[in-house]
Amino acid sequence: MAYLKRIGIHDIKEPTLAFLSEIQQAHVQYLSWQTVDIFAGRPTGLQESVQLILQGRSGYCFHLNGAFSVLLRSLGYTVHWHRAGVQPFGEQPRVNSFHLGLSVSLPDADPNVERWIVDVGLGGMPFEPLPLRYGTYGSAPFTYTLMPSSVAPGGWRLEYEPNGPSEGVDFAPEELTNLEEFIPKHEFYSQSADSPWHNAFLLRQRHALQSNELRGCMLRTHDRDGIRKKEIQTYTEWRDVLAEKFHEPLVNYTELERKEMWGRVQAAHEEWKRTQQV
């Protein structure tokens, strides 16, 4: 119940598609996809995912989808874990277990659909569950196309709208019984100097009509009117954006640690601006 209250839900309901949609929508609004702890050099293990959220924090794909699967199972849903892989722009599709995929069996929700894709850890996450039936879903600018995977036989591929954070993600159909194979992937992402998130201060959040991204000092807002970018220039503004847009008040960090983090973010941003002027 504490987990549900963390995302603004105060009543437990029957495990229906309607309640699943309500939970997923609340999850992606209140719990941003983020690399804050990795950037700060304080990564959290996969086994601590639920506790991380209960303590007023958030995480990235392994934490968010891992904790979400625990929540859904506690509410009576049948949840399946899958190997998955995100395809960055300019690279090839892959299923490399650098993403934890989830699906939920709901045979009574729709006579034509037995399973639904749920994902609260993609960064470009759908706002609600998607039927595991090939087609295009959502309304502009947030549309998602589900198709057969070209790299996972029997699997599926989810592609974002054109301005999403990556090309898409592929899922293997086999159900996993534990998360062991994701542990070394998480260790690489969260601890290796070669990780794409090693020096990246990045948060992403979504609600029905808008998505927000904070990359260092740059706030990117995307809605039906297009994409707008704003440079965050002061510590106070940065802290307020984190708390108000991303529901991330950095409760596990002292004020001194928050200011030190801002100093690193600001220094990296100034260096980035210098490279743009060359």
Side-chain angles (χ1 to χ4, degrees):
M1 193 63 191
Y3 193 142
L4 288 176
K5 288 182 178 179
R6 171 80 170 84
I7 58 175
I9 295 176
H10 301 282
D11 298 310
I12 296 177
K13 303 175 185 177
E14 292 296 314
T16 62
L17 177 59
F19 190 39
L20 180 62
S21 297
E22 181 182 347
I23 299 168
Q24 179 162 332
Q25 290 171 13
H27 211 285
V28 299
Q29 287 185 82
Y30 284 95
L31 299 176
S32 61
W33 181 101
Q34 57 171 263
T35 63
V36 171
D37 291 340
I38 298 174
F39 179 82
R42 290 167 52 174
T44 303
L46 293 188
Q47 69 276 10
E48 303 168 76
S49 297
V50 172
Q51 196 61 32
L52 182 72
I53 290 170
L54 295 181
Q55 291 174 349
R57 294 298 325 290
S58 188
Y60 73 142
C61 63
F62 293 132
H63 298 120
L64 295 170
N65 277 351
F68 193 50
S69 66
V70 172
L71 172 64
L72 293 181
R73 285 174 175 162
S74 75
L75 295 171
Y77 290 97
T78 301
V79 183
H80 312 280
W81 289 325
H82 302 274
R83 299 178 184 89
V86 175
Q87 178 193 2
F89 290 108
E91 298 189 25
Q92 296 299 310
R94 75 286 306 271
V95 173
N96 55 5
S97 300
F98 273 95
H99 184 68
L100 167 61
L102 302 180
S103 66
V104 172
S105 295
L106 279 172
D108 298 329
D110 185 313
N112 300 311
V113 181
E114 289 193 2
R115 196 173 290 198
W116 297 74
I117 297 170
V118 296
D119 207 305
V120 297
L122 270 175
M125 47 279 218
F127 191 58
E128 56 192 3
L130 299 178
L132 187 42
R133 179 177 57 198
Y134 301 141
T136 299
Y137 301 95
S139 56
F142 303 113
T143 56
Y144 302 85
T145 300
L146 190 64
M147 62 188 71
S149 171
S150 64
V151 293
W156 53 92
R157 174 177 173 81
L158 184 65
E159 290 192 346
Y160 311 126
E161 40 82 22
N163 291 300
S166 67
E167 294 277 6
V169 57
D170 287 84
F171 301 82
E174 299 81 15
E175 180 180 358
L176 301 177
T177 57
N178 61 67
L179 300 180
E180 288 182 6
E181 74 174 78
F182 297 101
I183 293 175
K185 310 296 186 181
H186 169 62
E187 290 176 350
F188 171 81
Y189 263 161
S190 61
Q191 299 178 35
S192 172
D194 295 325
S195 166
W197 313 130
H198 179 63
N199 285 314
F201 185 88
L202 179 62
L203 299 94
R204 295 183 176 124
Q205 180 268 354
R206 170 78 200 276
H207 58 76
L209 302 176
Q210 187 178 94
S211 68
N212 297 296
E213 177 185 282
L214 182 63
R215 186 184 292 270
C217 294
M218 293 302 298
L219 176 64
R220 177 185 185 269
T221 301
H222 185 202
D223 57 25
R224 291 175 181 173
D225 296 326
I227 297 173
R228 298 177 299 284
K229 295 182 180 181
K230 179 182 179 182
E231 182 179 5
I232 306 300
Q233 298 184 328
T234 69
Y235 168 70
T236 299
E237 183 183 11
W238 179 76
R239 184 191 59 197
D240 290 347
V241 165
L242 283 172
E244 294 168 11
K245 279 194 178 292
F246 297 91
H247 305 282
E248 179 49 84
L250 301 174
V251 293
N252 285 9
Y253 294 87
T254 66
E255 182 67 2
L256 177 59
E257 289 170 333
R258 295 183 198 120
K259 288 183 176 179
E260 289 176 345
M261 198 182 302
W262 162 249
R264 283 185 60 202
V265 167
Q266 193 177 37
H269 180 66
E270 292 302 319
E271 177 61 28
W272 172 79
K273 286 201 297 185
R274 281 192 291 272
T275 65
Q276 302 305 300
Q277 296 169 356
V278 174

